[in-house]
Amino acid sequence: MADTSDTSDIPIVPLIGVQKPAESLVSPIDRRSDFYRHAALVVPHPPVAQPLMTLPNILTFFRLLLVPVLLGVWELSHRLTPSLCAVIFIAASVTDYFDGYLARKLKIATVFGAFLDPVADKIMVATALVLLAVSPPPPWTPALMTAPVVLIICREITMSALREWAAAAGGGASKAVKVNTLGKWKTALQMVSMSVLLVVRQPIGDLLADRADSTLFLSLSRGAYVGLWGGVVLGLWSLAIYFANVWVHFVYPEVKKHN
């Protein structure tokens, strides 16, 4: 009886539909089954279109449309213009929460929505910040509003560029820039502070005639300004953490394999 321990001379038996032979006569049948099953999984399938006009995406589109509305209302000379601008910004902030919540709850998240949501957020926030820097509530001046506004906008631009690079780099770099808890607190603090600053631009006497001499709005304005700076600190802190997480990928970039 021939010795079958050396299988180097055993011919390769090609599988049906497999261009490169990958099995031999001594291969058990279950391995062949696994090979076919794996081949079936990696065969490209026709792409499936995702719906664009889902409820979360509609809310995101609505938030984008509120940006020119905010700009138009800001220029009105009506007595209640500051309050209307505050309502518009607060409405945009509410949609920012609900579009993400609904996408997760209803399991209708889309790739386009994942792209559009942060874009809409940054456009609305940047617009409101610039407007506040131009015409801040008392007791603040444009000079005092410039620093936090510039720092917040520069941080967001840098963070967007970092995430774009990480997505292109892939691997561990992409995972290292996922939103952390500190970033969420930063966003919440900035949104609340900006909403209050927009509200207190309206003289309290225009809303409550009998409280015209009240210093309530002045106190709220001071607290919101401190909160805005708190958002700046949290934003820069979280940015430093993101950079620390990806720094190794800058020093030792992963080499992509090309077939």
Side-chain angles (χ1 to χ4, degrees):
M1 184 174 182
D3 182 10
T4 59
S5 60
D6 183 8
T7 60
S8 59
D9 295 331
I10 296 178
I12 299 296
V13 178
L15 300 177
I16 298 175
V18 179
Q19 294 181 354
K20 183 178 179 181
E23 296 292 332
S24 69
L25 289 173
V26 296
S27 297
I29 189 65
D30 59 328
R31 281 187 59 198
R32 289 176 176 268
S33 302
D34 289 340
F35 187 93
Y36 280 124
R37 185 158 49 247
H38 175 72
L41 291 174
V42 299
V43 169
H45 297 282
V48 179
Q50 288 187 326
L52 295 183
M53 299 310 291
T54 61
L55 181 56
N57 286 356
I58 290 174
L59 290 175
T60 305
F61 278 120
F62 177 69
R63 185 159 71 258
L64 272 176
L65 291 176
L66 287 179
V67 174
V69 173
L70 176 62
L71 290 172
V73 173
W74 189 276
E75 298 299 327
L76 296 178
S77 57
H78 193 274
R79 180 173 62 91
L80 296 178
T81 292
S83 294
L84 292 174
C85 291
V87 169
I88 292 171
F89 181 79
I90 293 172
S93 301
V94 170
T95 65
D96 180 24
Y97 169 78
F98 276 106
D99 61 6
Y101 173 79
L102 291 173
R104 294 187 299 270
K105 188 72 173 178
L106 302 178
K107 297 181 180 180
I108 50 176
T110 63
V111 174
F112 182 69
F115 152 76
L116 190 64
D117 180 64
V119 172
D121 295 345
K122 288 174 174 52
I123 291 177
M124 173 57 76
V125 169
T127 300
L129 284 171
V130 171
L131 293 176
L132 281 171
V134 172
S135 179
W140 312 114
T141 63
L144 291 174
M145 286 295 299
T146 298
V149 167
V150 169
L151 287 173
I152 291 174
I153 293 177
C154 288
R155 186 267 181 195
E156 295 303 322
I157 293 174
T158 305
M159 194 65 234
S160 296
L162 185 63
R163 284 205 169 99
E164 181 180 354
W165 167 82
S174 180
K175 297 178 182 178
V177 294
K178 288 186 177 180
V179 178
N180 57 28
T181 303
L182 195 62
K184 293 180 179 179
W185 277 106
K186 176 270 303 179
T187 300
L189 187 56
Q190 286 180 359
M191 289 295 191
V192 171
S193 300
M194 292 170 62
S195 297
V196 173
L197 288 172
L198 287 168
V199 168
V200 298
R201 288 182 66 252
Q202 182 80 58
I204 192 171
D206 292 345
L207 302 175
L208 302 170
D210 57 334
R211 301 290 300 275
D213 296 331
S214 174
T215 60
L216 174 62
F217 274 18
L218 192 61
S219 299
L220 288 175
S221 180
R222 288 169 177 160
Y225 185 75
V226 173
L228 190 65
W229 269 108
V232 171
V233 172
L234 290 180
L236 296 178
W237 186 6
S238 64
L239 181 63
I241 292 175
Y242 289 128
F243 262 106
N245 290 340
V246 302
W247 188 251
V248 65
H249 299 285
F250 283 124
V251 180
Y252 302 103
E254 297 181 10
V255 178
K256 294 186 176 182
K257 297 180 179 179
H258 300 282
N259 295 327

